[in-house]
Amino acid sequence: MQEFELINRYFKGRGITRRDVNLGIGDDCALVSIPENSQLAITTDTMVAGVHFFEDMSPRALGHRAIAVNLSDLAAMGAEPAWVSVALTLPKAEVEWLEEFTAGMHEIAEYFNVQIIGGDTTQGPLTVTVCAKGTVPTGKALTRGGAKPGDWIYVTGPLGDAGLAIEARKQHLDIAPEWLKKLTTKLEYPTPRVAAGQVLRGYASSAIDISDGLLADLQHILDMSLVSATIHADKIPTSEAFRQSIEGEAKWPYVLGYGDDYELLYTVPENHKAMLDNRLSQYGIEAVCIGQIRGGEGKVEVLNGEDKLDVTQVGFEHFIQGDA
C-alpha cells in the first residue's frame, strides 16, 4: 500500500469534521480557526514499540492510547482539545492492523470532538507520534507553577493500576485473570480527564497529569512553584482490582513511583476547595485530597499514618516510560 493510498483510506474523510477546520488532510498544511480571546495549547508525544508499549499490544488499544496520552496533557492545562496530527512509522502496511489501529484512534477522537487534521506516514520501526492542539481562554491555562503553602493536593482517581499491569507481565505476577484484565484495560485504554481539567480552571493553583508517577510529577509542581509538600500515602485512592491483586508494603512502588495512569494531580487553595469538590462531583469525579503544600523548596514528606515512608525505595526502571 502506497503512502497516499494509506492516508486516503484510513484518515481522510474519516472521523468528525469540525467547523473550525478550514482545510484538513490533503494539502501541505492544515488550516484551523482559533476562537477569539483564546490561546493555543500544543503537546507532542512519541511512542516507540518496545519502549513505550509492548510490541504485541493490540492495534486498537495502541490507537486509543496514542491519542489519550496527548489529550491528558491538554487536560492538565485546562484546555479543550480540538485537533490532532499523527505521524506513523510502520515496518509494513498491513490492512487488518491499520483497520484496528485507526479505529482506536477515531473512536476516542470522536468521543472528545477532536478532528485528525494531518500528519505523516513512513516505513521503519513501529513508532506513533501525535501532536494534539486545543484552546484555552486567554490567561486561564493551568500550569505546574502557582502552588502556594497551605494549598491542598488532590488526585482525580485511583493510581497504580497501569504500573501493576506492566510488572504483572514482566515479572509473571500471580494475579487473578478478572483483576488482571481490569488492570490491563487501565494501561491500554487510559481515560484523559478532559472535563476535570476544564473545571479546574479558575479554582486550582497548579496541575499536571500523572504520566511519570505521583512523586515524580508532584516534584515538577514543587520545582516550578518553589514549595514543598506532605503526602499521606494511605489516602491515595486505588481500585478494587489493585487492592485484590497486591497487599502490604509491596503496593507503594506502584502507587507512588509508577506512572501511566493519566489521572490529574492538582493543588487548590482552601477558599476554593469546597466549591471545586462540588463542581467536580457534578461530572461524576470524586477527587481525593492526599496532602498539602508546605513552605520550603522541593522536598516531599510521605507519611503512612504517622510513619514516614522511605521514598527512595519506591522507584522502578519502567519498561513503558511515562510521557511528558
Side-chain angles (χ1 to χ4, degrees):
M1 187 181 301
Q2 299 298 311
E3 178 183 9
F4 294 109
E5 181 186 355
L6 188 157
I7 293 170
N8 289 333
R9 181 169 180 176
Y10 296 107
F11 291 99
K12 190 174 182 179
R14 290 189 61 181
I16 68 165
T17 300
R18 292 176 57 100
R19 294 175 62 183
D20 52 20
V21 176
N22 309 121
L23 183 62
I25 295 171
D27 218 305
D28 290 309
C29 295
L31 299 175
V32 299
S33 297
I34 309 300
E36 189 175 358
N37 299 319
S38 295
Q39 292 175 292
L40 186 63
I42 305 170
T43 183
T44 304
D45 279 304
T46 294
M47 298 170 57
V48 180
V51 179
H52 301 92
F53 59 92
F54 293 111
E55 295 187 44
D56 60 353
M57 175 182 279
S58 80
R60 185 177 290 260
L62 179 58
H64 173 103
R65 194 171 190 275
I67 300 293
V69 301
N70 282 270
L71 299 190
S72 182
D73 281 336
L74 294 180
M77 301 289 287
E80 178 182 348
W83 318 283
V84 297
S85 302
V86 181
L88 179 61
T89 301
L90 292 169
K92 56 182 177 179
E94 297 179 344
V95 171
E96 184 176 350
W97 191 96
L98 282 164
E99 287 283 359
E100 286 295 297
F101 173 77
T102 54
M105 279 196 154
H106 289 303
E107 284 168 358
I108 185 170
E110 290 178 29
Y111 182 84
F112 286 105
N113 193 33
V114 169
Q115 183 171 341
I116 299 175
I117 59 172
D120 190 28
T121 58
T122 188
Q123 187 174 24
L126 179 57
T127 305
V128 185
T129 298
V130 173
C131 178
K133 284 78 72 172
T135 61
V136 62
T138 300
K140 297 296 184 181
L142 301 167
T143 68
R144 299 174 182 186
K148 299 290 191 296
D151 288 356
W152 298 97
I153 303 169
Y154 277 78
V155 292
T156 55
L159 304 182
D161 285 13
L164 187 53
I166 294 169
E167 292 301 319
R169 173 163 176 171
K170 289 174 62 180
Q171 301 182 38
H172 306 288
L173 301 180
D174 184 17
I175 297 176
E178 62 177 307
W179 303 124
L180 182 58
K181 182 178 180 179
K182 291 180 181 295
L183 297 172
T184 302
T185 297
K186 182 68 179 288
L187 170 66
E188 295 184 341
Y189 291 92
T191 301
R193 294 295 198 170
V194 172
Q198 293 173 54
V199 172
L200 293 181
R201 293 194 314 238
Y203 296 98
S205 53
S206 68
I208 191 171
D209 71 327
I210 301 176
S211 56
D212 293 329
L214 174 62
L215 293 183
D217 289 313
L218 175 60
Q219 192 65 54
H220 294 315
I221 288 178
L222 303 185
D223 291 343
M224 293 292 288
S225 300
L226 302 178
V227 291
S228 296
T230 297
I231 294 294
H232 297 277
D234 51 308
K235 295 184 179 179
I236 297 171
T238 54
S239 71
E240 182 183 9
F242 184 89
R243 295 190 297 273
Q244 293 288 342
S245 302
I246 193 167
E247 297 178 344
E249 299 298 309
K251 68 184 178 183
W252 297 129
Y254 300 100
V255 173
L256 297 169
Y258 239 113
D260 297 301
D261 286 308
Y262 298 99
E263 297 292 344
L264 297 185
L265 169 69
Y266 66 90
T267 60
V268 59
E270 174 68 34
N271 61 326
H272 289 161
K273 186 170 176 283
M275 178 64 75
L276 183 53
D277 286 347
N278 181 60
R279 289 210 58 199
L280 287 171
S281 67
Q282 294 173 13
Y283 287 85
I285 301 167
E286 299 299 331
V288 177
C289 183
I290 62 169
Q292 194 167 27
I293 297 295
R294 306 294 186 190
E297 293 187 14
K299 294 183 178 180
V300 181
E301 179 184 54
V302 182
L303 302 177
N304 178 26
E306 296 182 357
D307 299 326
K308 186 179 293 187
L309 288 180
D310 181 1
V311 297
T312 63
Q313 302 301 313
V314 302
F316 275 125
E317 183 67 29
H318 292 195
F319 174 84
I320 298 182
Q321 301 289 340
D323 302 283

